[in-house]
Amino acid sequence: YQKEPWRTFSKHSSDVLSIFQSFKLDTSSGKSSSATATSSKDEQYFAKYLTNQNLLQLQLSDSNFRRYILLQFLILFQYLKSNVKFKTDSQALNSDQEKWTNETTKKIYKLLEETPPDGKEFAKSVKRILRREEHWNKWKNEGCPSLARKVEEGEGEKKALGEGGS
């Protein structure tokens, strides 16, 4: 939230995203090159983290690695922008920081949509999950009010949803 650390963070983040933008993936990225009888939907892929900097090109070609990084950015941005009970008043983004995170979030979703396989569907799923997380955070901030709703059950009886019965 402070000026200098934010400047460093935003510069390095922009550098990472620029590299992802300039390094486009083909549709076979992140998939095994061996031909098997199973369909690509059934195939499981386990990301390998390469610790040698000379192998960075291979990691840039890994769609799962790219998704992990982009998703971490989205989670961090959501936390920075969210209203959490235990945050202090000094832990809030100023208007320039918020503008930068909003613009960068749009770039990240675009990169996620461009990342094979099924980039558009993956990006939509991430948006739904993060929206659900926002609702959960709001619910927690409000002191976890009951989610039970009263429903008419005929003859004037009322019963809360989720309480007893079938």
Side-chain angles (χ1 to χ4, degrees):
Y1 298 104
Q2 298 164 352
K3 191 173 185 172
E4 283 307 310
W6 180 265
R7 184 176 294 138
T8 303
F9 167 73
S10 61
K11 181 189 179 326
H12 292 310
S13 299
S14 295
D15 291 344
V16 169
L17 296 175
S18 294
I19 290 169
F20 283 166
Q21 283 176 321
S22 66
F23 198 90
K24 297 295 180 190
L25 299 179
D26 60 359
T27 56
S28 65
S29 293
K31 294 183 183 175
S32 163
S33 59
S34 63
T36 61
T38 62
S39 71
S40 63
K41 295 277 185 196
D42 296 335
E43 186 175 326
Q44 290 188 4
Y45 177 79
F46 296 96
K48 296 160 207 70
Y49 294 100
L50 308 172
T51 56
N52 186 333
Q53 67 183 2
N54 297 332
L55 300 173
L56 180 62
Q57 289 297 112
L58 292 174
Q59 282 184 312
L60 289 175
S61 299
D62 183 353
S63 63
N64 286 328
F65 175 78
R66 182 178 292 223
R67 283 178 173 174
Y68 296 149
I69 300 298
L70 296 173
L71 188 54
Q72 290 299 315
F73 274 120
L74 291 174
I75 292 168
L76 176 63
F77 291 168
Q78 181 167 335
Y79 173 77
L80 291 173
K81 293 188 292 185
S82 68
N83 182 17
V84 180
K85 274 197 301 195
F86 60 84
K87 278 185 173 180
T88 64
D89 290 340
S90 65
Q91 293 176 312
L93 298 177
N94 64 36
S95 60
D96 290 339
Q97 292 170 331
E98 192 152 343
K99 180 181 176 191
W100 182 85
T101 56
N102 290 336
E103 290 171 359
T104 306
T105 298
K106 288 177 187 173
K107 288 179 190 176
I108 290 170
Y109 278 116
K110 186 174 186 301
L111 285 169
L112 281 174
E113 288 176 0
E114 295 172 354
T115 303
D118 303 321
K120 289 186 183 206
E121 189 61 36
F122 183 80
K124 282 179 15 183
S125 295
V126 167
K127 282 181 184 178
R128 276 192 306 269
I129 291 167
L130 291 177
R131 235 180 290 123
R132 183 174 180 198
E133 180 70 16
E134 282 178 26
H135 293 298
W136 184 84
N137 185 44
K138 181 181 176 196
W139 177 74
K140 293 291 282 185
N141 283 340
E142 293 171 353
C144 308
S146 174
L147 296 176
R149 292 183 287 171
K150 299 293 180 187
V151 178
E152 295 291 330
E153 280 205 4
E155 298 180 24
E157 280 186 48
K158 287 192 176 192
K159 193 177 200 179
L161 279 178
E163 288 182 0
S166 44

